[in-house]
Amino acid sequence: MYEAERSRLVKGLKSHGVVTDERVLEAMERVPRHEFLPSELRDQAYVDSPLPIGMGQTISAPHMVGIMLQALELRPGHNVLEIGAGSGYHAALMGEMVRPGGKVYTVERLESLGRKAAEAIERLSYDDVVEVVIADGSMGLPEHAPYDRITVAAAAPEVPRPLEEQLADGGRMLVPVGGQGYQDLTLVTRQGDRLERTGLGGVVFVPLIGQHGYRD
Ligand code: SAH
């Protein structure tokens, strides 16, 4: 279902130059976004727009997911941490890109969303490569660190310190940093003890709520 719509969306992202990395485009062709949405919103799955997924949270627009995947430079075998599983869609895409041999841990603080994300991940057979964990992801997930790649799908007041500590040597991390209006999508790279930050531009995400995020 929806293959033609999905293909049209992905071709649009490519022809507009939003996403150029073929591995990202291929993953977006394969993962069915509609399977991660509430049934009444499935018809809108292949419109390039964020959508509500319940509990006041949103699934990011496809172009945003594509831009983040491209900036992450995911490779097979990578150990990846995502904060904010939401629907599980972004995690499934990363699962596609780190196979074979890689692993994606995606942390969600809201149990009902995390449970639904895990169901979709299992239904689509990504559970060999993606694991959903219910916890405060602003603390990271020390038991599986260090991570080659970390991506945060919620806006933080600052780059959470535990995430910096859990980033592997040569690793890349994306975090939207800023207030609860616009944020700067910040790329953090690590070379040994040296951390470098680059701003990639303005974005709008829901807040990261937790010990190293905003207060509830
Ligand atoms: N990547 C998701 C979109 C996530 S929206 C997708 O593909 O659908 C951001 C999510 O971050 C929300 O579900 C919100 O509940 C979650 N979140 C906010 N603060 C968090 C925290 N401290 N730890 C884990 N998840 C958090």
Side-chain angles (χ1 to χ4, degrees):
M1 247 172 47
Y2 296 112
E3 273 96 6
E5 288 88 343
R6 182 156 68 251
S7 198
R8 201 175 316 124
L9 171 72
V10 174
K11 286 195 172 70
L13 294 176
K14 184 177 178 174
S15 66
H16 288 98
V18 180
V19 182
T20 52
D21 183 329
E22 284 297 334
R23 295 192 65 242
V24 173
L25 293 164
E26 268 168 38
M28 294 184 84
E29 281 272 4
R30 276 203 290 270
V31 180
R33 187 172 185 250
H34 66 274
E35 293 278 356
F36 294 87
L37 290 173
S39 51
E40 67 277 13
L41 291 177
R42 289 193 170 175
D43 281 349
Q44 295 173 56
Y46 301 105
V47 175
D48 190 9
S49 144
L51 290 168
I53 52 171
M55 310 283 293
Q57 307 302 322
T58 51
I59 180 172
S60 304
H63 75 270
M64 191 72 252
V65 176
I67 287 168
M68 291 179 80
L69 289 172
Q70 188 158 285
L72 280 170
E73 299 180 0
L74 295 157
R75 298 288 173 263
H78 274 164
N79 189 38
V80 180
L81 176 65
E82 177 182 42
I83 311 306
S87 67
Y89 173 63
H90 196 164
L93 286 162
M94 294 195 290
E96 278 281 347
M97 296 186 70
V98 303
R99 268 179 183 156
K103 186 86 194 188
V104 177
Y105 297 95
T106 183
V107 184
E108 174 55 54
R109 65 180 277 271
L110 298 173
E111 195 180 345
S112 64
L113 287 183
R115 221 181 305 121
K116 266 190 245 162
E119 274 166 27
I121 295 281
E122 199 181 328
R123 194 168 63 239
L124 297 163
S125 303
Y126 287 107
D127 49 331
D128 62 321
V129 67
V130 179
E131 186 175 324
V132 181
V133 178
I134 309 292
D136 172 10
S138 76
M139 308 288 286
L141 190 64
E143 54 267 45
H144 299 291
Y147 299 98
D148 302 302
R149 301 292 187 260
I150 300 177
T151 182
V152 184
E158 287 169 47
V159 178
R161 174 65 61 82
L163 299 185
E164 285 187 340
E165 288 166 356
Q166 293 168 34
L167 186 64
D169 192 7
R172 295 168 81 79
M173 165 160 70
L174 285 175
V175 194
V177 179
Q180 300 197 16
Y182 278 95
Q183 306 94 35
D184 189 15
L185 183 61
T186 305
L187 171 68
V188 181
T189 54
R190 173 188 285 283
Q191 295 298 337
D193 287 340
R194 222 176 105 84
L195 290 165
E196 216 167 276
R197 293 185 188 191
T198 315
L200 300 183
V203 289
V204 182
F205 279 83
V206 296
L208 180 79
I209 312 272
Q211 202 157 319
H212 291 264
Y214 289 100
R215 297 287 154 193
D216 207 348

